[in-house]
Amino acid sequence: MAIPFSRPLALSQGDPAGIGPDITLMAWLRRRELGLPPFFLIGDRDVLTLRARQLNLAVSIREIDTVGKATGIFADALPVMSVPAGIEVVAGEPHVATAKGTIAAIEKAVSLVIGGEALAVVTNPIAKAVLYEAGFRFPGHTEFLADLAARATGRLVTPVMMLSGPKLRAIPVTIHIPVRDVPQALTGDLIVETCRIADADLRQRFGIDAPRLALAGLNPHAGEGGAIGTEDEDIIRPSIEQLRDEGIDAIGPLPADTMFHDEARARYDVAICMYHDQALIPAKALGFDDSVNVTLGLPFVRTSPDHGTAFGIAGKGLAREQSLVAALKLAAQLGRTWESRR
């Protein structure tokens, strides 16, 4: 099958001891069957070669020095732009010495996309604990990508995390903070800004001309009119009214326990949730293998599988490539739609 893409996707290796190399190899092997857009890996060729041998996968791996070569060889070989891992990597055994290479691969991917050489960034899973040990100062991928974008463009970037699957798109307003801190972190400004970014990206990248946003309440039953907490009436409802005044189709606050069944989901295009698990539990329950982590609000497209490094199964032939496949397909779709609407 001919692949109608002129620019390939930049795929970062993630933690080389995790399943990133496994699923990359497996996805490439299914490129024709699934009609995958061309991509190249930014990482250590030796790690891929060893992992392919461990998994008994017949993958031709070819090193490239320019992005332009990737699309031409993708049909016959997996293109790799070299970033050394730092040590000899053992599958399932993370090591702080690989942190520098993991970070460098992400930086390279962003640079190539911002520079117009690659279409979008797709990131394999990282191990934040490993990066923290090496002095990494960001909570995770999302915040690091926002910082890279701000440095490259000179403009402040507000990243918004979305889980996008075939049955549900969900966004957490607050993300990696303790549940006890959510009420204090949840502000009207944060809700409104998150929804503005969601509305804009659903239009420009997802091609939805009139996005419908459904906002979940923070408390059980959306607070029962203030009987079970006041945040829903004091913070969330005024935010929804402001969004409507701005022309954004927003409804709520809705009781979170009744907004994720089939009939309810048909009424909106994205669920705006107040904290991490309120968004990610339904998103992963409804599409664990084919949901994608998308970062909205960036000056480039970024997607990622919705799972972690899974060190326990790395190199054992147990990893599944479906979420990476979905991330690659969605990145290409979003990149093309955004280009056509800019």
Side-chain angles (χ1 to χ4, degrees):
M1 175 185 288
I3 303 174
F5 294 93
S6 59
R7 287 186 294 154
L9 305 172
L11 174 63
S12 64
Q13 181 171 271
D15 192 298
I19 62 171
D22 307 44
I23 59 178
T24 298
L25 293 162
M26 295 161 67
W28 182 84
L29 282 172
R30 301 187 67 192
R31 66 201 179 283
R32 291 192 180 91
E33 169 196 351
L34 300 174
L36 291 185
F39 63 87
F40 64 97
L41 184 81
I42 303 174
D44 194 315
R45 177 178 178 174
D46 291 341
V47 170
L48 280 179
T49 300
L50 177 59
R51 197 68 57 88
R53 191 178 305 133
Q54 281 182 269
L55 297 171
N56 196 29
L57 299 177
V59 178
S60 175
I61 300 168
R62 193 176 306 173
E63 194 164 322
I64 58 172
D65 53 8
T66 63
V67 174
K69 297 178 180 178
T71 300
I73 69 172
F74 181 76
D76 301 312
L78 173 58
V80 176
M81 186 168 284
S82 180
V83 173
I87 60 169
E88 184 174 341
V89 174
V90 178
E93 297 183 15
H95 196 288
V96 67
T98 65
K100 183 178 179 181
T102 299
I103 293 168
I106 300 167
E107 291 173 332
K108 184 69 172 175
V110 170
S111 174
L112 292 171
V113 173
I114 288 180
E117 295 181 66
L119 180 64
V121 174
V122 182
T123 58
N124 268 313
I126 58 173
K128 287 177 281 190
V130 173
L131 300 186
Y132 294 159
E133 190 177 349
F136 188 68
R137 61 184 180 86
F138 300 94
H141 248 138
T142 300
E143 296 82 2
F144 183 42
L145 291 165
D147 183 72
L148 293 175
R151 281 190 268 160
T153 64
R155 296 191 299 272
L156 183 65
V157 173
T158 301
V160 169
M161 174 184 176
M162 171 192 280
L163 264 288
S164 178
K167 296 182 179 180
L168 174 68
R169 299 184 192 96
I171 291 174
V173 175
T174 63
I175 308 178
H176 297 121
I177 61 174
V179 173
R180 66 174 179 271
D181 295 339
V182 170
Q184 289 73 39
L186 196 64
T187 66
D189 287 344
L190 179 60
I191 293 170
V192 168
E193 182 65 11
T194 299
C195 291
R196 285 173 179 159
I197 292 169
D199 180 76
D201 274 19
L202 285 171
R203 293 174 188 270
Q204 296 169 3
R205 303 185 186 187
F206 285 79
I208 301 173
D209 292 327
R212 300 166 300 167
L213 282 59
L215 280 74
L218 172 66
N219 297 297
H221 304 174
E224 287 276 17
I228 313 177
T230 61
E231 293 86 358
D232 301 280
E233 296 300 320
D234 294 345
I235 300 172
I236 302 174
R237 192 176 299 281
S239 300
I240 294 170
E241 292 171 358
Q242 180 178 341
L243 290 165
R244 288 175 179 162
D245 289 343
E246 295 178 7
I248 294 174
D249 186 354
I251 60 172
L254 303 176
D257 62 347
T258 58
M259 64 181 287
F260 297 110
H261 61 85
D262 293 348
E263 185 179 347
R265 295 197 314 276
R267 302 189 189 113
Y268 59 82
D269 298 299
V270 62
I272 308 295
C273 303
M274 297 303 119
Y275 54 94
H276 182 278
D277 284 11
Q278 192 182 58
L280 271 67
I281 288 174
K284 293 191 176 186
L286 289 167
F288 186 80
D289 284 326
D290 45 16
S291 287
V292 177
N293 187 341
V294 186
T295 305
L296 309 181
L298 298 174
F300 53 86
V301 170
R302 179 263 177 156
T303 67
S304 177
D306 74 341
H307 56 71
T309 50
F311 291 121
I313 62 172
K316 296 180 179 179
L318 300 175
R320 296 194 296 265
E321 75 279 7
Q322 287 95 324
S323 188
L324 175 59
V325 166
L328 291 164
K329 287 187 171 184
L330 184 59
Q333 174 192 327
L334 298 182
R336 287 299 184 188
T337 301
W338 192 31
E339 283 189 337
S340 71
R341 293 186 171 228
R342 292 172 74 179

